[in-house]
């Protein structure tokens, strides 16, 4: 049986979350840095410690069948490092509840791995002394991670909390990995040829192409079964595709509801801007004419994949259909010029994912050793081990130095897909992990030629990396206020966005919608965001 699909980072995880701040004191609740057994520590090389130590760890896993206490990745890493991890794991679906129970009950481990703590949790438990501040440890014992922070200052800004401290190691999607930077949707090239039209480059041309797909029997079967634009993950990728065409999010999408007022560094709320209204009006037009998937707000990803695999969509927002759906007649769309003449691709981040993927607690007996342990995963050798596994067992290296999985993984004789096959050795499928995803060591769809071409086509219109605003970090008090405001506010925005697009809410009520948003304390949200931004600038 052939492999079913390659795992996708961008679609599953790259739903994203902004690195070494002032190296001011990694001090626990006692006010002094916590020190382990330095006599047993090797400051460089392997093993990390001279005599074996055992460490308690908690982690989220994607596959229920995995036993992390009997898995090749951790067994081999234990032999290399002399650090034996005793794992307690839970599937990702039950992570938040179990993780929170461990902390509130005081029964938490030395290390949380792949536990996806939010910024709010990091600053809250950090200030309570439950999570260790890591700045000084990073400075001395994490050369790989420190080098990444120095290479990408905006990542450094993002992981540094409002108090100037770092409490967690993040997931990082290497900004040099173009296939992960994001590209445009995929358009059916065969249909374009059939209807005698070119790849559209403007919003108006795009509309005309979708209309022709639907009305001119683009697949040539004589049936009215053609669909326009569909998305694997609902409406968000569709909106994100068009943000730049409507002049939105010129600072990127790490703070998706925030952008600077033109010519200033003062925030405005994106969902109440004229550009956002015009974007929704365009999508409403597509939806009303049947050019946008009717079930885009309700269909689950696996259901959509089954429908899209029939090949009846003209445009797909997904990972490469050739990899995901075995459809090889799709090519990259062009970045679209809007009606004001702007042709921008703004749906990009600095590559920083979840910040709280590796955390040390105040129960950690040897923090220096554990920082060296996690730092190995951010270096080339550790990254190769984490994502590729072990030579001759899971991968091979060709004469040019390229790495690829063995056929047993990509074309498993037992009918397992690639995720399932590699999970018998490694833990990365599912997208929960600390570390850096580099193209050299990643074998998913985003590393394939089609995805690289897609990203390269968008690159000339992509906003500059220096213009991308990292995720804003708030104090505990600010977080409480932000959460109180945005919980109901975001629900309202999501609901009304869907209503405007589907026509359930008339655009004649736009002013009423804006007034409602203003009554939901959005101005206080903007004020807090502005304060966090000014503080971030002062920490540079």
């Amino acid at each position: 049986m052939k492999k079913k699909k390659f795992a996708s980072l961008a679609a599953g995880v790259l739903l994203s979350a902004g690195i070494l701040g002032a190296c001011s004191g990694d001090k626990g609740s006692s006010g002094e840095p916590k020190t382990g057994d330095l006599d047993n520590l090797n400051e460089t090389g392997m093993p990390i410690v001279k005599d074996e130590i055992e460490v308690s760890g908690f982690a989220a896993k994607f596959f229920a069948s995995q036993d992390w206490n009997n898995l090749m990745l951790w067994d081999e890493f234990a032999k290399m490092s002399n650090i034996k991890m005793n794992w307690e794991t839970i599937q990702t679906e039950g992570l938040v509840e179990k993780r929170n129970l461990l902390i509130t009950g005081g029964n938490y481990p030395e290390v949380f791995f792949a536990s996806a703590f939010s910024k709010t949790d990091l600053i809250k438990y950090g200030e309570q002394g439950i999570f260790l501040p890591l700045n000084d440890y990073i400075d001395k014992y994490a050369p790989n991670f420190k080098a990444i922070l120095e290479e990408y200052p905006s990542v450094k800004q993002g992981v540094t909390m409002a108090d100037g401290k770092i409490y967690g190691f993040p997931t990082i999607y290497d900004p040099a990995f173009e296939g992960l930077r994001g590209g445009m949707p995929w358009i059916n090239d065969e249909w374009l040829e059939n209807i005698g039209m070119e790849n559209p480059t403007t919003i108006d041309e795009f509309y005309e192409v979708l209309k022709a797909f639907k009305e001119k029997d683009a697949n040539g079967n004589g049936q009215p079964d053609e669909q326009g634009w569909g998305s694997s993950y609902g409406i968000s990728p569709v909106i994100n595709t068009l943000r730049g065409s409507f002049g939105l999010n010129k600072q990127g999408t790490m703070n998706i509801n925030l952008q600077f007022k033109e010519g200033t560094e003062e925030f405005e709320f994106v969902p109440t801007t004229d550009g956002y209204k015009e974007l929704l009006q365009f999508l409403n037009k597509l939806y009303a004419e049947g050019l946008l998937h009717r079930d885009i707000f309700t269909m689950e990803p696996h259901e959509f994949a089954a429908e899209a695999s029939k090949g009846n969509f003209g445009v797909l927002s997904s990972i490469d259909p050739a990899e995901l759906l075995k459809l090889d007649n799709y090519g990259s769309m062009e970045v679209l010029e809007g009606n004001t003449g702007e042709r921008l691709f703004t749906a990009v981040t600095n590559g920083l994912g979840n910040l709280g993927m590796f955390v040390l607690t105040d129960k950690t007996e040897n923090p220096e050793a554990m920082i060296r342990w996690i730092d190995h995963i951010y270096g080339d050798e550790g990254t190769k081990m984490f994502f590729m596994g072990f030579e001759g067992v899971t991968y091979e290296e060709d004469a040019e130095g390229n790495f690829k999985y063995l056929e047993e993984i990509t074309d498993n004789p037992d009918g397992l897909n690639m995720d399932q096959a590699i999970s018998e050795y490694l833990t990365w499928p599912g997208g929960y992990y600390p570390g850096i995803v580099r193209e050299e060591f990643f074998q998913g769809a985003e590393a394939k030629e089609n995805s690289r071409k897609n990203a390269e086509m968008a690159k000339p219109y992509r906003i500059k990396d220096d213009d991308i605003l990292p995720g804003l970090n708030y104090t505990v008090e600010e977080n409480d206020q932000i959460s109180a405001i945005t919980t109901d506010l975001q629900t309202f925005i999501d609901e009304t966005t869907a209503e405007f697009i589907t026509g359930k809410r008339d655009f004649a009520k736009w002013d009423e919608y804006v007034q409602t948003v203003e009554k939901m304390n959005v101005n206080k949200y903007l004020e807090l965001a502005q304060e966090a931004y000014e503080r971030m600038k002062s920490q540079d």
Side-chain angles (χ1 to χ4, degrees):
M1 181 179 291
K2 296 295 182 185
K3 60 181 183 273
K4 299 177 183 176
K5 73 177 183 69
F6 283 97
S8 168
L9 263 84
V13 220
L14 208 44
L15 302 175
S16 63
I19 286 188
L20 192 61
C23 288
S24 58
D26 284 346
K27 298 173 174 55
S29 55
S30 67
E32 293 299 326
K34 184 166 186 173
T35 303
D37 183 0
L38 298 183
D39 289 338
N40 192 39
L41 179 73
N42 291 317
E43 293 196 7
T44 60
M46 290 288 176
I48 292 171
V49 290
K50 298 162 188 172
D51 297 323
E52 183 182 77
I53 61 173
E54 296 193 14
V55 178
S56 61
F58 173 84
K61 64 181 180 180
F62 187 67
F63 287 103
S65 58
Q66 281 189 331
D67 176 6
W68 280 30
N69 291 307
N70 186 28
L71 195 71
M72 189 172 190
L73 172 67
W74 301 129
D75 289 346
E76 292 301 313
F77 198 13
K79 294 175 186 175
M80 291 167 52
S81 64
N82 250 356
I83 298 175
K84 182 181 185 302
M85 297 297 299
N86 295 315
W87 293 108
E88 177 185 359
T89 59
I90 191 167
Q91 278 192 272
T92 53
E93 293 86 346
L95 169 62
V96 174
E97 181 180 6
K98 179 64 174 179
R99 181 190 71 194
N100 293 347
L101 283 173
L102 287 174
I103 291 181
T104 56
N107 298 317
Y108 51 86
E110 294 178 75
V111 171
F112 281 99
F113 183 97
S115 294
F117 284 103
S118 67
K119 292 181 181 182
T120 302
D121 288 335
L122 290 177
I123 188 70
K124 178 174 70 174
Y125 296 129
E127 290 196 355
Q128 290 176 8
I130 295 174
F131 293 168
L132 297 183
L134 306 175
N135 304 54
D136 288 346
Y137 299 126
I138 291 169
D139 193 44
K140 189 169 183 180
Y141 299 107
N144 295 316
F145 186 62
K146 186 178 178 182
I148 293 170
L149 306 189
E150 291 172 349
E151 184 177 3
Y152 300 118
S154 71
V155 176
K156 168 183 172 180
Q157 289 175 328
V159 298
T160 304
M161 297 294 102
D163 61 1
K165 297 175 182 177
I166 298 172
Y167 294 106
F169 279 71
T171 307
I172 303 172
Y173 305 102
D174 185 4
F177 187 168
E178 288 294 340
L180 281 179
R181 296 308 301 272
M184 292 291 286
W186 304 87
I187 192 164
N188 195 315
D189 286 336
E190 187 177 298
W191 286 14
L192 283 174
E193 184 176 350
N194 289 346
I195 62 173
M197 298 181 76
E198 299 292 330
N199 201 342
T201 59
T202 71
I203 287 290
D204 290 341
E205 290 175 359
F206 180 53
Y207 165 75
E208 293 298 336
V209 164
L210 290 177
K211 189 174 174 65
F213 280 165
K214 187 173 177 63
E215 296 177 353
K216 294 186 177 182
D217 190 25
N219 62 12
N221 68 356
Q223 302 294 322
D225 54 358
E226 291 86 355
Q227 299 199 56
W229 191 358
S231 168
S232 295
Y233 288 90
I235 197 64
S236 292
V238 169
I239 292 175
N240 287 345
T241 292
L242 297 174
R243 286 180 184 272
S245 302
F246 287 88
L248 301 174
N249 295 89
K250 293 179 182 178
Q251 289 76 48
T253 50
M254 299 195 73
N255 308 277
I256 200 158
N257 288 330
L258 297 173
Q259 66 182 19
F260 292 146
K261 294 178 182 177
E262 197 68 34
T264 76
E265 290 189 2
E266 180 183 348
F267 285 128
E268 62 181 352
F269 193 63
V270 172
T272 57
T273 60
D274 291 342
Y276 193 74
K277 177 184 178 182
E278 291 163 6
L279 190 160
L280 297 190
Q281 287 175 321
F282 178 70
L283 290 178
N284 168 254
K285 179 181 179 181
L286 298 186
Y287 192 88
E289 298 185 26
L291 307 181
L292 185 64
H293 187 212
R294 305 296 294 182
D295 298 323
I296 197 167
F297 293 99
T298 57
M299 188 168 280
E300 294 295 324
H302 68 279
E303 296 172 325
F304 179 78
E307 183 170 351
S309 66
K310 300 173 185 176
N312 287 339
F313 281 95
V315 174
L316 288 171
S317 290
S318 72
I319 63 172
D320 179 11
E323 296 291 340
L324 179 65
L325 305 169
K326 300 297 174 282
L327 299 173
D328 59 6
N329 55 332
Y330 286 84
S332 305
M333 258 183 62
E334 297 275 4
V335 174
L336 300 173
E337 180 182 312
N339 293 329
T340 61
E342 292 197 276
R343 192 177 183 188
L344 291 174
F345 185 76
T346 64
V348 288
T349 75
N350 64 358
L352 184 59
N354 188 282
L355 307 188
M357 282 299 188
F358 180 86
V359 168
L360 298 184
T361 73
D362 57 355
K363 296 184 179 182
T364 308
E365 295 184 5
N366 292 282
E368 298 87 355
M370 293 315 299
I371 292 296
R372 285 211 58 217
W373 184 89
I374 189 61
D375 187 61
H376 183 69
I377 292 177
Y378 287 86
D380 282 353
E381 286 303 313
T383 299
K384 181 173 68 174
M385 176 185 73
F386 191 80
F387 287 106
M388 297 301 301
F390 303 92
E391 189 168 11
V393 179
T394 57
Y395 77 88
E396 61 185 358
E397 182 177 358
D398 64 23
E400 287 74 41
N402 300 310
F403 305 101
K404 67 175 183 178
Y405 287 130
L406 297 177
E407 189 173 351
E408 170 187 334
I409 304 298
T410 59
D411 195 4
N412 186 266
D414 297 324
L416 303 178
N417 65 30
M418 192 188 76
D419 287 22
Q420 294 166 333
I422 202 64
S423 73
E424 296 187 355
Y425 306 93
L426 308 176
T427 64
W428 68 261
Y432 277 68
Y433 48 78
I436 183 165
V437 184
R438 297 194 186 276
E439 185 171 10
E440 181 182 5
F441 305 118
F442 183 69
Q443 299 286 299
E446 293 86 351
K448 306 301 180 184
E449 183 179 2
N450 285 349
S451 294
R452 288 198 297 269
K453 287 182 178 178
N454 189 309
E456 288 295 334
M457 281 181 64
K459 188 174 181 179
Y461 308 99
R462 194 171 70 203
I463 56 174
K464 297 177 181 178
D465 286 354
D466 290 345
D467 293 334
I468 298 173
L469 184 66
L472 299 174
N473 294 325
Y474 300 96
T475 65
V476 172
E477 181 182 354
E478 289 169 345
N479 261 316
D480 290 342
Q481 296 179 75
I482 290 285
S483 296
I485 295 169
T486 57
T487 300
D488 292 337
L489 178 59
Q490 191 60 53
T491 299
F492 178 69
I493 296 298
D494 293 342
E495 290 175 350
T496 51
T497 291
E499 290 170 357
F500 278 124
I501 293 173
T502 58
K504 293 180 180 178
R505 184 182 291 252
D506 195 282
F507 282 95
K509 295 184 177 181
W510 180 264
D511 289 344
E512 178 184 311
Y513 153 76
V514 172
Q515 290 167 7
T516 302
V517 170
E518 290 173 348
K519 290 176 183 177
M520 298 179 79
N521 223 5
V522 71
N523 288 331
K524 181 61 177 178
Y525 166 67
L526 291 172
E527 178 186 320
L528 292 168
Q530 198 71 42
E531 290 174 4
Y533 172 65
E534 299 299 336
R535 181 173 56 239
M536 182 187 71
K537 286 201 302 181
S538 71
Q539 291 177 341
D540 288 352

